[in-house]
Amino acid sequence: MSLPPILTTTDEITEFATELEKHQVIAVDLEADSMHNYQEKVCLLQFSTPQTTVLIDPLQGADLAALKPVLANPRIRKIFHAADYDIRCLARDFDIEINGLFDTMISSQFLGEERFGLADVLRKYFAVELDKQYQRADWSKRPLSEAMIRYAAGDTSYLHQLVENLEGQLIAKGRLEWVKEEFMLMEKVRFMVHEGPLFLRFKGAGTLNRRQLAVLENLLQWRDTEAKRRDTPLYKVIGNKTLLQLAKLSPENQSSMQKVEGLSPRLIERYGNALLQQITMANEIAEEDLPTYPRGERRLKDPQIEKRMNRLKDWRKQVATELQLDPGVLINNALLDEIARKQPRDQDELAEIVLLKNWQRQVLGEGILQSLS
């Protein structure tokens, strides 16, 4: 099978966008380099019409603006598998928005598939084996190997056939409207712009005292600067678990650093002095200037709320079993907790729970109210 063309110029992409406008359905995917560079970026885009597959290389400097109206047009269906990350990347890197989404992973979940990764789904429906070795490849390197090009093309080439199968099943089960609402919500996802101390986005920071928190923040700031200097992901400098241990133990010298899990002799030799400097600086911060981890209002345990929550979970388990769905796909714990606390008494009060989706209210509403009554 011949390799798909790779478009690299603005003129080629503009001409291709005109061609895409003639189709009612296109399959889309992308490859990024999050495992290999400090600031991840889209390195390759894949498009499949029912007849052909074309790749676009955005790293060659071409303008992708011609694709915007096509991808934003809700009358042209865009098939993705696991669109969440792709939609965020396209919006961030190219100001491209997706309308008319059909996500085959979400569809698989709503059909009760236990394994819904693309490789698993293609294996089940088409006996196709995807070569997973390129999932973690560095897609920012050029030239791309022939094997990588074939792998990228394979991600979209079966999606048209897959949709025909999945959509038919969703219609038969009466769940097409459910996933359509999920698709519309997915179209709106974007990367959040984070501000403030880095420890606010660090798992485990809430377990530290104020002094340890100051140490952690210094270490995080240092790691961010070092990763940026080396143009490498944060975890390739020093892992999170190791930084947390350093913040808790605050070693005073390189010898005591050897007790820190994950801090190898090579890392101590390379970064030991810099890490000790950050720890010392944090330990010299005046007590009144130490950072504080923000704590939400602590909810007191309410036996009645817990009782309602348990009833809702029992009800959810029964319904999920009947529908052959994962309970978390049906309705997640956070939403159940809100329902248990607000205790809606009728459909109008149920409608006031903002995070409850329309399909959930229509399909599950009566069961929720009965469980609470």
Side-chain angles (χ1 to χ4, degrees), residues 1 3-4 29-31 44 46 53 55 118-119 122 129-137 139 145-158:
M1 187 171 64
L3 291 176
D29 191 27
L30 62 81
E31 306 296 342
L44 194 70
Q46 302 102 284
T53 293
L55 310 184
L118 182 59
L122 293 185
E129 290 291 339
L130 291 184
D131 190 343
K132 293 184 179 181
Q133 66 171 305
Y134 297 109
Q135 287 180 338
R136 296 173 178 267
W139 291 92
S145 69
E146 180 178 321
M148 291 174 73
I149 294 170
R150 291 191 186 281
Y151 168 86
D155 276 358
T156 54
S157 57
Y158 287 93

Side-chain angles (χ1 to χ4, degrees), residues 170-349:
L170 288 166
I171 291 171
K173 289 180 178 288
R175 298 176 190 176
L176 185 59
E177 294 305 313
W178 305 6
V179 296
K180 281 184 177 180
E181 184 175 359
E182 298 288 334
F183 299 160
M184 290 178 66
L185 293 170
M186 183 66 73
E187 290 170 353
K188 297 176 176 63
V189 298
R190 297 294 184 269
F191 283 122
M192 292 179 63
V193 177
H194 295 285
E195 297 179 350
L198 296 180
F199 68 71
L200 293 176
R201 309 193 299 276
F202 189 91
K203 186 177 180 181
T207 65
L208 304 180
N209 62 40
R210 293 181 67 196
R211 179 67 63 186
Q212 292 169 332
L213 210 55
V215 174
L216 177 63
E217 180 63 21
N218 275 21
L219 293 173
L220 289 171
Q221 294 287 353
W222 168 83
R223 182 178 68 168
D224 190 74
T225 300
E226 179 66 12
K228 193 180 296 182
R229 183 187 70 81
R230 289 174 48 192
D231 190 22
T232 194
L234 297 174
Y235 78 93
K236 286 193 176 181
V237 178
I238 292 182
N240 286 355
K241 191 174 181 181
T242 302
L243 284 190
L244 190 62
Q245 284 293 307
L246 281 168
K248 287 179 177 179
L249 299 175
S250 283
E252 297 178 353
N253 50 54
Q254 290 196 15
S255 177
S256 55
M257 278 184 162
Q258 296 173 14
K259 300 175 184 178
V260 177
E261 184 181 351
L263 207 55
S264 66
R266 183 184 65 81
L267 285 176
I268 293 174
E269 181 181 358
R270 183 172 188 177
Y271 296 131
N273 289 335
L275 295 170
L276 289 171
Q277 182 182 12
Q278 297 302 322
I279 292 169
T280 300
M281 289 167 58
N283 283 325
E284 291 174 351
I285 296 174
E287 194 74 28
E288 61 271 18
D289 295 329
L290 290 172
T292 301
Y293 193 85
R295 308 285 177 186
E297 183 181 345
R298 192 161 189 173
R299 287 178 167 177
L300 297 175
K301 283 194 173 183
D302 184 327
Q304 293 304 314
I305 291 176
E306 288 189 17
K307 190 180 293 184
R308 290 196 291 271
M309 184 69 171
N310 289 331
R311 286 208 306 270
L312 285 168
K313 284 184 174 179
D314 289 341
W315 160 82
R316 179 182 65 175
K317 183 178 179 181
Q318 179 183 342
V319 176
T321 300
E322 292 171 358
L323 296 175
Q324 295 182 310
L325 282 178
D326 182 278
V329 170
L330 191 66
I331 186 168
N332 62 38
N333 282 342
L335 189 47
L336 281 189
D337 181 70
E338 185 179 0
I339 292 169
R341 291 179 182 281
K342 293 188 175 179
Q343 198 178 1
R345 291 166 295 182
D346 53 39
Q347 288 287 354
D348 289 338
E349 291 185 4

